Amino acid sequence: MSVRFSVIVPVYNEEAVLEVCYARLTEVMANMNEDYELIFVDDGSRDQTPVMVSRLCDNDSHVKLISFSRNFGHQTAITAGMEASRGQAVIVIDADLQDPPEVIISMIEKWREGYDVVYGRRVSRRGETLFKKATAKLYYRLLKSLTNVDIPVDTGDFRLIDRRVCDVMNSLTEQNRYVRGLVSWVGFRQTEVTYHREERFAGETKYPLKKMIRFAMDGITTFSYKPLKLATYVGSFVSFGSFIYLLVVLYLKLFTDKTVSGWASTLSVSLIFNGLVLLMLGIIGEYIGRIYDETKKRPLYIIRETKGFNHEEK
């Protein structure tokens, strides 16, 4: 019997919320009255998460487990789930229950209307700090302005994609995955459903500030080369300003009696220019590092074990 819906749930140290997540997802999917699978992708958890999912596999044939050999990252876990999925529609949702599983019903309705991608757009973000809300809002709009790909603002990875979209996604080979950007890049008919994002049900966020900055850099460098062009613009502006400053210094030296002392101003200008040069080198280095990752051709992830898949499914 073919699977109608595949639900991909990346998990990393989610033992505190896992059982509630499973119960709510099961309730939603069972009410669809069509065959489904819940694919939990364990991203190298150090707690009891993989053990708990394994027990769920024993008790529920709908549950499947993919367990990584170490932590490869959230976006890679989503990719592994997509590659293992068999459903005609594939839903991606995090285990923390900030994205309510009940919204999946609205996504399926839109899919049945003929849309290939249905993404969830947050109209509010409950339980998050003002700093995180402000930086998230700024980031999504910055990304939209930098790239030619229409990546919807205020959206995460919570979405439904059609089987043919999933197959196209699985054919993409880049190492630095930014799934929500790739889904926008492939095109097809896309629409949204709006919802209120809830507080994390339990446990701690898996995206502290350091990871959020890295994730933001992945999004920008994967889908935009405008930061590289910024080096050209800034360099041209600085060179022009330096030339004007040189003319001023020469004028004061040749045609006035004013002393060009200015060691402090010279040092300040030198520090500013050196800072700009290092900034531009850092931006260029980010792109070179990603080129290096692509050339190594290493696998995106290594699977330690799977459970719930039979030979025909694989």
Side-chain angles (χ1 to χ4, degrees), residues 118-273:
V118 186
Y119 51 85
R121 184 173 66 83
R122 310 153 181 156
V123 296
S124 67
R125 302 167 67 105
R126 296 168 181 164
E128 295 184 349
T129 64
L130 183 62
F131 173 78
K132 185 168 184 179
K133 291 178 182 178
T135 52
K137 185 174 182 178
L138 176 63
Y139 164 68
Y140 286 121
R141 283 148 184 83
L142 175 64
L143 179 62
K144 189 175 182 67
S145 68
L146 287 177
T147 178
N148 295 324
V149 178
D150 185 18
I151 302 175
V153 299
D154 302 323
T155 64
D157 294 310
F158 182 34
R159 63 191 60 217
L160 178 152
I161 64 174
D162 186 78
R163 177 78 257 162
R164 54 181 175 170
V165 178
C166 186
D167 290 340
V168 172
M169 291 284 293
N170 291 339
S171 71
L172 304 179
T173 60
E174 50 247 74
Q175 298 289 308
N176 293 287
R177 312 288 288 187
Y178 187 69
V179 172
R180 66 194 69 171
L182 292 174
V183 173
S184 296
W185 179 84
V186 300
F188 296 93
R189 291 191 67 199
Q190 305 200 10
T191 190
E192 67 177 36
V193 294
T194 58
Y195 69 100
H196 297 279
R197 196 172 202 222
E198 303 292 342
E199 296 183 47
R200 167 175 267 276
F201 181 82
E204 299 178 350
T205 178
K206 304 308 182 292
Y207 269 100
L209 181 60
K210 182 178 179 180
K211 281 192 175 182
M212 287 299 298
I213 293 174
R214 186 65 188 174
F215 185 61
M217 288 298 297
D218 284 342
I220 292 172
T221 54
T222 301
F223 287 94
S224 177
Y225 59 86
K226 288 184 180 179
L228 288 175
K229 296 177 69 175
L230 177 65
T232 302
Y233 298 143
V234 172
S236 300
F237 176 78
V238 170
S239 296
F240 179 76
S242 300
F243 179 71
I244 296 299
Y245 183 71
L246 175 62
L247 292 179
V248 171
V249 170
L250 290 175
Y251 174 81
L252 293 175
K253 179 69 174 178
L254 297 175
F255 301 104
T256 70
D257 295 329
K258 294 182 179 179
T259 303
V260 186
S261 53
W263 68 269
S265 61
T266 301
L267 180 61
S268 299
V269 170
S270 177
L271 290 174
I272 291 172
F273 287 177

Side-chain angles (χ1 to χ4, degrees), residues 72-92:
F72 283 92
H74 180 264
Q75 301 294 288
T76 301
I78 294 175
T79 300
M82 286 184 176
E83 291 178 348
S85 67
R86 298 180 299 129
Q88 297 172 32
V90 178
I91 300 127
V92 179

